[in-house]
Amino acid sequence: TLQIELMKMQQSMQASGKRILAIFEGRDAAGKGGTIKRIIAHLNPRRYNVVALVKPNETELTQWYFQRYTSHLPAAGEFTIFDRSWYNRAMVEPVMGFCSDEQNKRFLKDVPMLEELLVKDGITLLKYYFSVSKDVQKERFDSRKHDPLKQYKLSPVDNLAQKYWNEYSIRKFQMLSETNRSIAPWT
């Protein structure tokens, strides 16, 4: 099964010192979290990291944009999953007004160079974009509102996802077209 293959991959990574970084991006309620749970279900927790950063603090807001992410890159034998990543600058931040147009444009120009550096340094970079229809997203949000075990998943930004559906769509296509490179393609 896939779980056994993932365990074999992790053992091989530990033996070889290979580093893997997987980026999970996409629409809110598209299944990123559930997929991550399934991937890590049987892995050795000492050899993987799931990084889901909260909004930047005052110090992080004054740093180089990528700095808060680079400290979480995998070391030898590690598998790191970003549950959302630096790609917040491509979609969420411009739609919600958390960054300027200039910051967004600079990000879209800079991120392919950063990813090329990571790959050339030996990190296997996997980028996954998860999508969901507007109707399914609404259904999932509605179910989260009534499920006490899932209410933590709803944030103020999530509550606006339906309202800004079209704006997110525009940013999604822009991000995918401008950051899909042969050295670091989107899946």
Side-chain angles (χ1 to χ4, degrees), residues 116-178:
E116 182 177 348
L117 290 171
L118 297 176
V119 171
K120 286 184 175 181
D121 193 56
I123 293 176
T124 298
L125 178 59
L126 308 169
K127 299 189 311 189
Y128 298 98
Y129 186 86
F130 289 68
S131 200
V132 66
S133 72
K134 188 175 184 181
D135 291 338
V136 170
Q137 184 186 61
K138 183 177 180 344
E139 288 173 21
R140 290 180 181 178
F141 283 162
D142 289 344
S143 74
R144 288 176 180 181
K145 288 177 189 172
H146 305 294
D147 185 341
L149 298 176
K150 294 183 179 179
Q151 287 175 351
Y152 77 93
K153 291 183 169 191
L154 282 175
S155 72
V157 171
D158 292 338
N159 292 329
L160 295 170
Q162 291 274 295
K163 178 181 177 182
Y164 293 121
W165 182 268
N166 292 337
E167 290 85 345
Y168 277 117
S169 296
I170 291 166
R171 296 294 181 167
K172 171 183 82 169
F173 290 117
Q174 179 185 30
M175 176 191 80
L176 294 174
S177 69
E178 293 189 32

Side-chain angles (χ1 to χ4, degrees), residues 6 11 13 40 47 57 71 89 138 162 173 178:
L6 286 166
Q11 291 167 349
M13 289 175 59
I40 65 173
R47 304 307 298 172
N57 63 36
S71 63
R89 179 62 46 105
K138 183 177 180 344
Q162 291 274 295
F173 290 117
E178 293 189 32

Side-chain angles (χ1 to χ4, degrees), residues 109-118:
K109 185 178 178 183
D110 292 349
V111 73
M113 292 184 288
L114 172 71
E115 292 175 352
E116 182 177 348
L117 290 171
L118 297 176

Side-chain angles (χ1 to χ4, degrees), residues 3-184:
Q3 295 295 335
I4 292 170
E5 294 304 314
L6 286 166
M7 291 172 64
K8 287 180 189 176
M9 177 197 74
Q10 191 179 43
Q11 291 167 349
S12 172
M13 289 175 59
Q14 190 170 358
S16 68
K18 186 171 184 159
R19 300 173 288 161
I20 296 178
L21 172 61
I23 292 176
F24 285 65
E25 286 293 339
R27 296 271 188 185
D28 296 314
K32 295 177 297 295
T35 302
I36 291 168
K37 283 182 186 177
R38 286 170 187 83
I39 288 171
I40 65 173
H42 300 285
L43 296 181
N44 179 343
R46 292 177 196 89
R47 304 307 298 172
Y48 74 80
N49 299 300
V50 176
V51 179
L53 300 178
V54 296
K55 70 180 187 176
N57 63 36
E58 287 184 30
T59 301
E60 290 169 331
L61 287 171
T62 68
Q63 296 173 335
W64 176 53
Y65 179 73
F66 296 104
Q67 191 168 343
R68 67 192 301 250
Y69 297 99
T70 57
S71 63
H72 298 282
L73 293 175
E78 288 183 347
F79 178 38
T80 298
I81 300 172
F82 280 174
D83 183 353
R84 296 220 179 260
S85 68
W86 44 69
Y87 281 100
N88 278 335
R89 179 62 46 105
M91 289 183 56
V92 174
E93 291 184 18
V95 169
M96 299 304 297
F98 300 153
C99 75
S100 69
D101 284 340
E102 177 58 34
Q103 289 171 316
N104 172 257
K105 288 176 187 172
R106 190 170 355 125
F107 169 82
L108 291 170
K109 185 178 178 183
D110 292 349
V111 73
M113 292 184 288
L114 172 71
E115 292 175 352
E116 182 177 348
L117 290 171
L118 297 176
V119 171
K120 286 184 175 181
D121 193 56
I123 293 176
T124 298
L125 178 59
L126 308 169
K127 299 189 311 189
Y128 298 98
Y129 186 86
F130 289 68
S131 200
V132 66
S133 72
K134 188 175 184 181
D135 291 338
V136 170
Q137 184 186 61
K138 183 177 180 344
E139 288 173 21
R140 290 180 181 178
F141 283 162
D142 289 344
S143 74
R144 288 176 180 181
K145 288 177 189 172
H146 305 294
D147 185 341
L149 298 176
K150 294 183 179 179
Q151 287 175 351
Y152 77 93
K153 291 183 169 191
L154 282 175
S155 72
V157 171
D158 292 338
N159 292 329
L160 295 170
Q162 291 274 295
K163 178 181 177 182
Y164 293 121
W165 182 268
N166 292 337
E167 290 85 345
Y168 277 117
S169 296
I170 291 166
R171 296 294 181 167
K172 171 183 82 169
F173 290 117
Q174 179 185 30
M175 176 191 80
L176 294 174
S177 69
E178 293 189 32
T179 63
N180 187 43
R181 301 288 199 272
S182 58
I183 198 164

